[in-house]
Amino acid sequence: MTNPLVLGGTTEATALCRAMAEAGLSGTISFAGRVDRPVRQPLPQRVGGFGGVDGLAQYIRDNRISHLVDATHPFAVQMSRNAVEACALTGTPLVALTRAPWQPESGDRWRAVADIPAAVAALDGAPQRVMLAVGRMHLAEFAPNPQHFYLLRLVDPPKAPLPLPDTHVVVDRGPFSLDDDLALMRAHRIDVVVSKNAGGTGARAKLLAARELGLPVIMIDRPAPPLRREIHNVADVLDWLAH
Ligand code: 3Y8
Ligand code: NAP
């Protein structure tokens, strides 16, 4: 009896759950509870942390989870580490449904940086108009460069004062479109875009818009994931679940 648990929060996770439901497979998708209203999913969902490795291991035992699919975002590296450890503890088969990093193409003006602190350092210098499209959780790290105008895109309206003095907030969740991101960057006269190398399609529009406008992009490399089996498409995950 397969009873998979999908760690979600990405476009691919949602696509996997739709395919599982269409294939008549049961399962559960899990969210951390980062945003007010996670998008409706075609499988039953649970929201909230598990309580570290032991909490996840206990959840796996209590719910007789037969397989774990880690379909979290490439920057959700703590969750991915916990999944590897909890599956080792409980002997649960694990795969990661991941997407390749974006690669620069002709016309791109990317400056690759190792992590968020390096992206902050890359913004040292004279005031610019920055599209800071890295979400909410790491905004405070950019406070050392208050001289810029920041266009911020958040999933939910800010619940606390923002750590930056000169901002314009757009409340929107992806997937985003090229036309909308072009209009947004033109409307705010953006000079530079800051992006995580999320990969996938949901967040890619801003890169295509930057290319069309000839804007530089500060591209933040993803943290190294733990060692685990990785699958890059939904069909192969369904096949893995069936065997
Ligand atoms: C809660 C669950 C789906 C999933 C859609 C993908 C695409 C649209 C683009 C920009 C970049 C950013 C952010 C982003 C994208 C997809 C995917 C993706 C980037 C939701 C969702 C949850 C989250 C959490 C949220 C983070 C934030 C990051 C916004 C659902 C909508 C910036 C990542 O306010 C907060 O606390 C937000 C936190 C983690 C990163 C951060 O540091 O703030 N995602 N995003 C998940 C949970 O609770 O477990 O409601 O759908 C999911 C999606 N967001 O089903 O189609 O697959 O990547 N998410 C980044 O890439 O830099 C926006 O603005 O251009
Ligand atoms: P993280 O830093 O790797 O994880 C921190 C803690 O959050 C985990 O230890 C776990 O808590 C809890 N958690 C994370 N993902 C969870 C999930 N899917 N279900 C249940 N608990 C989860 O994670 P994050 O970067 O904050 O990402 C949180 C969620 O947002 C994930 O679903 C991820 O896919 C999604 N997301 C993140 C980004 C991003 O840029 N980071 C972008 C798009 C979507 P416990 O230790 O208590 O179990």
Side-chain angles (χ1 to χ4, degrees), residues 3-21 25-33 38-48 50 56 59 63 65 67-73 79 97:
N3 182 27
L5 173 65
V6 178
L7 301 178
T10 58
T11 310
E12 289 75 12
T14 298
L16 171 62
C17 290
R18 189 165 297 121
M20 287 169 67
L25 289 177
S26 62
T28 306
I29 181 165
S30 173
F31 292 99
V39 76
R40 288 294 314 145
Q41 293 290 333
L43 285 184
Q45 61 195 54
R46 66 165 297 287
V47 180
F50 296 97
L56 177 54
Y59 179 90
N63 293 276
I65 297 300
H67 301 72
L68 199 148
V69 181
D70 177 359
T72 56
H73 189 275
M79 185 72 255
L97 173 58

Side-chain angles (χ1 to χ4, degrees), residues 173-216:
R173 79 173 59 209
F176 303 105
S177 77
L178 171 58
D179 289 348
D180 290 353
D181 278 7
L182 273 173
L184 193 62
M185 291 180 191
R186 285 188 173 117
H188 293 282
R189 303 191 319 281
I190 296 301
D191 300 313
V192 58
V193 177
V194 182
S195 171
K196 290 177 188 167
N197 196 328
T201 54
R204 189 178 166 80
K206 60 183 179 284
L207 306 179
L208 303 176
R211 181 187 305 161
E212 189 159 324
L213 297 173
L215 298 181

